[in-house]
Amino acid sequence: MKVLLYFEKQNAMKQSGIGRALSHQKQALELNNIEYTLDPKNTYDIAHINTLFSDSYRILKKCKKKKIPVIVHGHSTIEDFRYSFRLWRWIAPFFNRMILRMYRHADYIITPTPYSKKLIESYKGVTCPVYAISNGIRLEDYAYSEMKVKKFDEYFKIKDKKIVICAGLYFERKGITDFFEVARNMPDVTFIWFGNLKKILTPLKILKAIKKRPKNVLMPGYVDIDVLRGAFHRADAFMFLSHEENEGIAVLEAIASKLPVIVRDIPVFSWLEDRNHVLKGKTIQDFKHALETALYSTPEDMVNRAYRTVEERTLEKVGSEIKQVYEKVYANQKVH
């Protein structure tokens, strides 16, 4: 059994959560001895398509003609495209058609969470089986490293300040304006937002908010991976106020770093219990209060319980779940 892992426009998306998901998939398959190719010109028994663009659809249709089963990975939903790029309202009808043609013609769909599974199953015309399998986490990448913490300290030179971090694109959906507002209410704390988005793609509302952000918010864009991972250990809390996610890989990374996490109380994070694994809120005051708890009460037991939840999402375990789907797909193809 050989699988095509297809990922269109890899260079353009490598910094995104979807880009990291492909890297995780490759490692997960290797850990479970699953043979794969990234080249659609090679021979393969199953196509696992990760993207939604025109070449992805062309590969899907080609596989259909050859009776090769197609798994489409449901990284994206109609809901999580909202409040993202500039002019998203005008782009949304085209994006929605693109996403639906892939999901409607798939033989199987894999998506990161039960929440995104429920959304995809609700779309008109999607009738194939949908499996919820996490994008996973490579725990050893987030083990404490004094060298990485030192790189962070050398890069930022922050002394005698509590540090709160977040990572994501400049999307309104990601809760960036609320991140700024909490920072405005806590001037003695340093807030850092890692990530970037080309100016032409960033909504004007967000550009204005960035320009007027509080002085205690640093926005370094993308930094060396060791600096970023050092941040996860040097920081005192991770605050992720996204309004809509299909999993939120950055949250897994923060938990794997044993960092106290504050999230917005939204359905995708239902697997994380408030005050048992993370701290949740819905308003600026909620987030400020939760952050004060994380910064000054050191909820070590909560952090350790959260860590045990991501231990169930290691790449080896994720790969085993994907392998089970592949084997089911392959067996069904043999029968037909």
Side-chain angles (χ1 to χ4, degrees):
M1 179 179 65
K2 186 176 178 181
V3 178
L4 167 67
L5 282 185
Y6 187 71
F7 194 94
E8 195 175 345
K9 303 184 188 298
Q10 288 186 42
N11 288 334
M13 303 181 73
K14 64 183 178 181
Q15 299 280 16
S16 68
I18 297 175
R20 297 206 299 285
L22 176 69
S23 173
H24 287 181
Q25 275 179 30
K26 291 191 292 185
Q27 293 175 62
L29 267 54
E30 288 161 7
L31 287 167
N32 284 271
N33 301 310
I34 300 169
E35 186 180 3
Y36 70 88
T37 178
L38 302 177
D39 186 353
K41 293 179 182 177
N42 287 346
T43 57
Y44 47 88
D45 303 295
I46 298 169
H48 185 167
I49 301 174
N50 279 269
T51 40
L52 309 167
F53 308 113
S54 56
D55 283 350
S56 301
Y57 187 62
R58 181 179 56 79
I59 295 292
L60 182 150
K61 298 297 283 184
K62 183 179 177 181
C63 289
K64 287 285 196 175
K65 286 182 180 179
K66 292 186 173 183
K67 300 191 182 303
I68 296 172
V70 176
I71 299 170
V72 172
H73 211 107
H75 295 293
S76 300
T77 60
I78 291 169
E79 288 75 10
D80 82 342
F81 186 73
R82 296 169 184 160
Y83 300 98
S84 53
F85 302 99
R86 186 184 295 196
L87 303 178
W88 71 268
R89 293 178 191 277
W90 285 266
I91 301 169
F94 302 99
F95 176 81
N96 293 352
R97 283 198 290 272
M98 188 167 60
I99 199 172
L100 288 173
R101 73 177 180 178
M102 291 297 293
Y103 291 169
R104 286 170 176 168
H105 289 93
D107 296 304
Y108 305 86
I109 296 172
I110 294 175
T111 191
T113 58
Y115 171 69
S116 54
K117 168 182 160 71
K118 184 178 178 181
L119 290 179
I120 292 170
E121 287 176 333
S122 73
Y123 298 159
K124 187 176 180 181
V126 176
T127 58
C128 67
V130 183
Y131 301 94
I133 301 175
S134 171
N135 285 312
I137 186 83
R138 183 179 159 90
L139 288 177
E140 51 267 42
D141 287 343
Y142 298 92
Y144 182 83
S145 165
E146 191 171 330
M147 177 272 291
K148 292 174 185 176
V149 172
K150 186 178 178 181
K151 281 194 172 186
F152 171 87
D153 285 334
E154 289 172 349
Y155 189 96
F156 286 98
K157 297 179 174 61
I158 300 170
K159 293 182 179 179
D160 303 321
K161 292 276 189 179
K162 293 287 188 180
I163 299 171
V164 178
I165 65 172
C166 185
L169 297 172
Y170 294 167
F171 290 166
E172 184 178 354
R173 169 175 68 80
K174 291 286 185 182
I176 189 168
T177 54
D178 284 348
F179 186 85
F180 293 162
E181 194 57 34
V182 176
R184 193 169 279 112
N185 278 269
M186 303 179 74
D188 294 331
V189 177
T190 296
F191 290 74
I192 308 175
W193 184 287
F194 292 99
N196 209 335
L197 186 64
K198 289 182 179 179
K199 194 171 181 179
I200 195 170
L201 298 175
T202 307
L204 293 175
K205 176 181 178 180
I206 300 304
L207 290 175
K208 289 178 182 177
I210 290 171
K211 190 174 181 179
K212 295 179 179 180
R213 73 185 186 272
K215 292 180 180 179
N216 58 326
V217 177
L218 307 180
M219 302 190 77
Y222 288 110
V223 297
D224 181 85
I225 189 65
D226 285 346
V227 173
L228 178 61
R229 288 177 179 165
F232 276 100
H233 289 287
R234 176 65 175 82
D236 298 283
F238 183 84
M239 187 170 67
F240 191 75
L241 306 183
S242 181
H243 294 266
E244 183 69 33
E245 291 291 324
N246 290 323
E247 181 166 41
I249 288 179
V251 171
L252 299 187
E253 292 168 341
I255 292 173
S257 304
K258 296 192 174 180
L259 189 58
V261 172
I262 297 96
V263 296
R264 190 180 300 275
D265 190 1
I266 56 176
V268 73
F269 296 132
S270 62
W271 61 281
L272 294 167
E273 297 174 11
D274 184 28
R275 300 191 175 275
N276 190 36
H277 303 116
V278 298
L279 299 169
K280 295 184 178 182
K282 294 182 178 179
T283 67
I284 299 300
Q285 283 305 309
D286 289 345
F287 302 139
K288 182 176 181 287
H289 179 70
L291 193 51
E292 287 170 343
T293 299
L295 294 179
Y296 303 109
S297 300
T298 317
E300 189 174 338
D301 289 346
M302 183 187 79
V303 168
N304 290 332
R305 285 192 295 270
Y307 185 81
R308 288 194 286 274
T309 68
V310 295
E311 285 182 315
E312 297 303 312
R313 290 165 170 78
T314 64
L315 293 185
E316 188 170 6
K317 291 181 179 180
V318 164
S320 176
E321 292 180 45
I322 292 174
K323 185 176 183 178
Q324 290 176 35
V325 173
Y326 286 167
E327 288 173 342
K328 187 180 295 186
V329 169
Y330 189 64
N332 287 345
Q333 180 66 9
K334 286 291 186 182
V335 169
H336 294 98

